Every structure is written in structure tokens, then in C-alpha cells.
Amino acid sequence: MTEAGEAGSPPDEDEFEVVLFGPGYGESIVLHIGSGCWVIVDSCINDEGNPRALEYLESIGVDPAQAVDLVVATHWHDDHICGMTRLVEVCSKADFCCANALLNNEFLAAVGALEGRHLSEAGSGVREIHRVFTWLESKASRLTFAAANRRIHAWGNCEVWSLSPSDVAFWNFLQSIGNLFPRENRTKTRIPYVTPNDMSVVLWIGVDDIAVLLGSDLEKRGWVEILQSEERPTGKASVFKVPHHGSENADEPDVWNRMLGSNPVAVLAPWCRGGRVLPSQRDVRRILAHTTNAYATASTGLSAPSQVRRHSMVDRTIRSTGIELRQLAMSPGAIRLRHPLGSQGRWKIETFGSACGLGDLVE
């Protein structure tokens, strides 16, 4: 956590810890589930291209090769999976979990085609997930598949459940795979995102009586399916990783009412691409109407950045190569939460780098 401030010492053996890393290079979550065992959800990188989760663990004296039990890829968008290959290589004893759609034969066939001359070197989350699977196959590593209401990991008093994707979402995803295949004589391109993002893996992580709900980028339709299920874990979470960077298209009010306790700790990582910024001021106010205990990993850039004017010929040339220009208006930050296990106390909240209270961003 060098760019986000001094990380200090590791959590106590009987302490639940959640750390959210945010922009500018995506988001990632690290969790200590007790007794020196760790879980990593998604991956993002620092300025040197190293996974921030690994940087953090090493900075507090934790060996990720021995301590990490589970690595989860919630979906294949590049702001959640950049650096994942390095992550699974280092965390050599960890199980790897993702949605089963990412190992579907049709999806892998599309990836294989896109790995060739049709895929832009500008980068892709699909390219990263393909490298992950190739490495895991060479090591005969254990894979776990996330699906609605499935317990994907258990250790001591901790249980990790995936609440999505549903069977319906999986079927819809299969119908959309054809759009990923490159056409003959087509200019190299980045892989289009499949929307709405119903294949995102939402996680429920419970240790003793404490629960955390990690919303990934699941959009509203997926949350309605979760709420309708009678098979998901019971109880209410005291920490919520707000889905899809606080966007309105991922907001379902009943999640706050039925799955979360009173005034929960809500955390999010903002997002900025192509002049669009999340969360908007409207999003910020909506989240604060649910809880006053909300935090963001960045305090700057939450208004539309100014556009750099270029000659139209330059714009056409850039677009023809499939390159996507991004304005990185937000510096990286982190939010760390710690809670003693077996205690009814409150979460201890620390912010690093550009992270701040969400209320500080209201204009």
C-alpha cells in the first residue's frame, strides 16, 4: 500500500479485515477471515504493474503464497481482473473461483479466436482471464465455480457464498457469446462488454455473526433474482461493497432493507472512462440516504473531466485501431475495515491515499 500510505501491522488472529483498493487502475478486495487466512477478490495493479493485493500483504508481513486460501474473479471486465495472472501464480496454494460461464466451451472458443490477430494489444480482461486459465491448467490447480446460492469456501467459522449468477443469467450469457466472435477482415478491436452485467459474482462472507456483502458489478436485474431466492444465507451484513461503482443501474432499494443491517458501512471504488464518472452526485446522495457510514477510495475526479481536443483525423485513426483512451482523473486509495471476532463492537475504519468519506464529496 505504498502509494496509499503506511499499512502498519497485520490484523490480529481473531480479527476480521476487509480492504478495498480503488482507482486509478481498477478495484480489488482483500479479506482476513481469521487465524491468518486470507481471501482475495478481483485484481488491480499499482503504477509498476504489480497487483495491489500482493503489495499490501507483503507490506504487512504476510506471505501470500502461504496465507491466501481463495482467489475470486467476479467477472472479466479489465478494471476487476488486471494483474490476476500474477496473483494466482504467487498465491500458489489458493483455490480459484469464477463463474462457470468463463469456462464454457463457446466462451473459450471466442477467447481463443480473439487471442489471435483480431485482438487489439490495447489490452483486455478476456485476454487476462484466458492467461489465468492456461496457467491453472498447467498446474492442475483446483477450480471452484460460482453460482447462485452456492457455498464456495469454508474454513473454521468462516463461510464464503456466491449469490450469483443465476441459471437464467447463465443462459442469457450463452445467447450473447456470438457477439464476441471476430468477423473476417475486421479491424482489431477490444472485446465488447456483455450488458447488463448479470454474470458478476456477488459474495456473502460470514465469520461467526459478522457478515460482509460484496456486490461486484451486478446490476439491478441480478439483485432482484437474489432477493427472490429462499436459499441464500440468512442474516444481515454490516459491510456492503456497493455494486458497479455506485451506479443507479445497480441499485435495488430492497437490498438495503432486507440484506443489510442498520446504517451499514458502505464502500465503493469510483470509475472514470470516456468522460463518464461513477458515482454521480445523484448516486452519492442516493447512497447517503441509505447510510451515513459510506466511503469512497477516491476523493477527486467525481465530476466529468475536461475533454482534450484532438484533430478529427487523429480521433479517426485512434478509433480504427480499437484503442480506447481513458482519462485517469482519480488517484489510488484504499479503505480498511477491522472488526474483532466474537465482539458486538463497531468496525474500525481507516482511509489511505485519496480515500475519504462519501459525504465529503457532496457538492
Side-chain angles (χ1 to χ4, degrees):
M1 200 186 287
T2 53
E3 80 273 29
E6 293 298 324
S9 58
D12 295 336
E13 290 286 297
D14 60 349
E15 202 165 27
F16 196 171
E17 174 173 296
V18 182
V19 186
L20 172 65
F21 301 99
Y25 302 93
E27 68 176 69
S28 178
I29 302 170
V30 173
L31 304 103
H32 177 253
I33 57 177
S35 301
C37 295
W38 295 80
V39 174
I40 299 176
V41 181
D42 290 338
S43 181
C44 64
I45 57 175
N46 60 17
D47 290 335
E48 290 73 42
N50 299 316
R52 293 183 69 192
L54 297 182
E55 178 188 44
Y56 172 69
L57 292 177
E58 291 165 356
S59 72
I60 61 173
V62 173
D63 180 5
Q66 298 300 318
V68 178
D69 282 353
L70 177 67
V71 174
V72 180
T74 65
H75 59 298
W76 51 275
H77 289 178
D78 54 3
D79 61 328
H80 286 254
I81 205 168
C82 194
M84 181 64 75
T85 305
R86 176 62 180 162
L87 200 61
V88 298
E89 288 174 350
V90 172
C91 302
S92 53
K93 64 168 278 195
D95 293 341
F96 180 79
C97 178
C98 67
N100 55 3
L102 297 189
L103 278 183
N104 175 269
N105 288 334
E106 289 85 355
F107 180 74
L108 291 179
V111 170
L114 289 162
E115 278 289 292
R117 61 186 176 85
H118 298 279
L119 183 59
S120 167
E121 292 300 322
S124 165
V126 167
R127 180 186 291 277
E128 186 75 30
I129 199 68
H130 192 209
R131 289 171 176 165
V132 169
F133 290 149
T134 300
W135 189 89
L136 291 173
E137 185 177 38
S138 70
K139 300 297 181 181
S141 299
R142 180 181 171 187
L143 293 173
T144 302
F145 299 111
N149 307 312
R150 174 174 292 179
R151 191 177 72 172
I152 60 175
H153 185 77
W155 189 92
N157 295 328
C158 175
E159 290 188 348
V160 181
W161 287 72
S162 58
L163 305 187
S164 64
S166 67
D167 291 341
V168 172
F170 180 53
W171 174 252
N172 291 336
F173 178 80
L174 295 184
Q175 303 307 302
S176 66
I177 284 177
N179 296 327
L180 300 178
F181 281 93
R183 305 293 187 262
E184 289 297 324
N185 303 317
R186 184 179 175 183
T187 302
K188 287 185 177 183
T189 183
R190 292 176 56 86
I191 293 122
Y193 288 167
V194 178
T195 56
N197 195 5
D198 294 338
M199 291 308 298
S200 286
V201 177
V202 168
L203 296 175
W204 177 278
I205 302 175
V207 184
D208 293 335
D209 295 329
I210 307 171
V212 171
L213 179 61
L214 306 181
S216 184
D217 276 1
L218 190 68
E219 297 182 23
K220 185 167 184 173
R221 186 168 67 185
W223 286 106
V224 171
E225 293 177 341
I226 288 175
L227 289 164
Q228 290 173 343
S229 172
E230 297 179 355
E231 301 174 4
R232 59 180 171 83
T234 58
K236 292 192 174 184
S238 56
V239 171
F240 186 32
K241 204 292 288 188
V242 180
H244 205 201
H245 318 283
S247 172
E248 187 174 11
N249 66 14
D251 180 63
E252 172 49 55
D254 273 350
V255 171
W256 296 88
N257 299 328
R258 295 169 52 188
M259 300 184 70
L260 300 170
S262 175
N263 205 38
V265 179
V267 296
L268 64 84
W271 176 89
C272 176
R273 182 172 293 174
R276 186 186 177 201
V277 175
L278 294 174
S280 67
Q281 281 292 308
R282 179 176 176 177
D283 295 329
V284 169
R285 291 187 174 90
R286 171 175 41 77
I287 294 167
L288 290 174
H290 291 293
T291 178
T292 59
N293 210 10
Y295 298 84
T297 59
S299 58
T300 58
L302 295 186
S303 57
S306 60
Q307 300 294 314
V308 178
R309 298 187 61 84
R310 293 180 296 272
H311 192 280
S312 59
M313 180 67 72
V314 175
D315 278 335
R316 286 196 295 272
T317 302
I318 291 173
R319 285 196 297 269
S320 70
T321 66
I323 293 175
E324 180 180 10
L325 295 182
R326 306 181 191 180
Q327 292 180 311
L328 299 177
M330 292 173 281
S331 59
I335 304 162
R336 182 166 66 190
L337 314 175
R338 286 179 173 176
H339 195 300
L341 296 175
S343 167
Q344 298 300 316
R346 297 181 179 181
W347 287 89
K348 177 184 177 182
I349 304 168
E350 300 172 275
T351 58
F352 300 86
S354 61
C356 67
L358 200 63
D360 296 337
L361 306 180
V362 177
E363 294 180 354

